[in-house]
Amino acid sequence: MSYCYALYPFYKRPTYVIPHSWLKVPTLGELFNRNRELSQLISDLEPFDDHGEAIEMAEVCEEKSQILNEIWSIERRNTRPMIEDVPIFLCHASEDKGFVRRVYQDLKSKGQKPWIDEAEINVGQSIVDAVDKALGNCKVFMLFLSEDSINKSWVKKEWNATLMRKLSGADILFIPALIDSVQTPALLSDLKYADFSEGYGDAIDAVIQAIQRHFISLEFDKSGSNGPT
């Protein structure tokens, strides 16, 4: 059995004992529908001329207030925090450094941890060791494809090594990013590209969204959930 409060705004609310089988938790859609119905009732009641209509208006407004509070509560529970501090390796040719710097700054502004050699490797530090460590630690590998990078041996080594790790079971999000309209490697033909050649804003938004979706899905998998809806 459950205790239910009746909506009486101007005096003490009576309570009733009701069997659980009579009760149903409303869906978010049902709450929105009822909220629209109550908005229409309020519109129909205004203006009111007598005490009875004033009582009815108060009851409708109280129910509407409770429904809005419940909608807000559900939406707050369903709002997930941004996934931040994801290590992102930015694989690129030196000729594309200016473009990649912009991506680096935008990813940092979103709370991520992009890695670019000029910002992370100090004077006197081994470049090979630093790159190897960054590749081993990255959770996202972003490969910038351009006319300059497509045939660079160093770029090929980095993305081939990361792809082999991914194929071996490592949990890495591999994001190919087109700077120019170039022929893409056959090994990456099944991956969807972030196409910066068609527009920077849409492409960087797609990258950030892909990172969020990937790691939110991982969190659901680890918690035993069926995944986000």
Side-chain angles (χ1 to χ4, degrees):
M1 307 296 283
S2 294
Y3 282 101
C4 293
Y5 290 87
L7 297 174
Y8 288 88
F10 297 127
Y11 45 90
K12 185 177 179 180
R13 300 176 181 176
T15 59
Y16 302 93
V17 178
I18 297 176
H20 282 298
S21 59
W22 293 11
L23 302 176
K24 175 183 176 295
V25 177
T27 65
L28 192 58
E30 289 170 339
L31 290 171
F32 275 116
N33 287 337
R34 180 57 179 164
N35 183 56
R36 283 192 290 269
E37 291 174 358
L38 293 172
S39 295
Q40 185 60 50
L41 283 173
I42 291 171
S43 177
D44 293 342
L45 284 169
E46 292 179 332
F48 48 84
D49 299 320
D50 57 43
H51 182 70
E53 289 181 346
I55 292 288
E56 185 178 357
M57 173 68 83
E59 292 174 352
V60 170
C61 288
E62 184 167 356
E63 183 182 353
K64 183 177 176 66
S65 175
Q66 291 196 5
I67 285 176
L68 289 174
N69 285 337
E70 182 63 19
I71 290 172
W72 177 81
S73 178
I74 291 172
E75 290 183 336
R76 185 179 60 178
R77 290 197 300 270
N78 291 339
T79 301
R80 304 182 185 94
M82 285 283 289
I83 302 295
E84 297 183 337
D85 292 327
V86 175
I88 306 169
F89 189 94
L90 306 180
C91 178
H92 61 284
S94 57
E95 292 86 350
D96 299 322
K97 187 76 70 179
F99 179 88
V100 176
R101 286 190 189 113
R102 182 182 178 186
V103 175
Y104 173 85
Q105 292 297 335
D106 284 340
L107 291 173
K108 282 197 73 171
S109 72
K110 296 296 184 180
Q112 306 306 335
K113 292 176 65 178
W115 192 96
I116 190 172
D117 51 3
E118 66 180 15
E120 305 295 339
I121 301 177
N122 299 317
V123 174
Q125 189 177 3
S126 169
I127 295 175
V128 173
D129 289 347
V131 170
D132 284 346
K133 183 178 180 180
L135 281 172
N137 291 336
C138 78
K139 296 296 183 183
V140 177
F141 183 88
M142 199 167 171
L143 171 62
F144 292 88
L145 295 167
S146 69
E147 293 178 358
D148 292 306
S149 71
I150 198 72
N151 294 314
K152 291 276 186 176
S153 59
W154 185 262
V155 171
K156 283 184 177 180
K157 287 179 181 178
E158 289 178 348
W159 74 257
N160 273 312
T162 304
L163 189 59
M164 290 304 103
R165 283 184 59 211
K166 181 176 176 63
L167 294 175
S168 298
D171 182 23
I172 300 172
L173 176 60
F174 198 111
I175 301 177
L178 283 176
I179 298 177
D180 305 321
S181 297
V182 296
Q183 183 65 41
T184 57
L187 281 174
L188 307 178
S189 60
D190 67 324
L191 297 179
K192 185 175 180 179
Y193 290 71
D195 195 349
F196 286 89
S197 68
E198 293 293 326
Y200 183 89
D202 289 342
I204 193 67
D205 287 346
V207 168
I208 292 167
Q209 187 177 68
I211 292 169
Q212 294 299 309
R213 287 179 175 174
H214 178 78
F215 290 97
I216 287 173
S217 294
L218 286 182
E219 287 189 354
F220 271 84
D221 290 342
K222 289 177 182 176
S223 66
S225 171
N226 291 327
T229 58

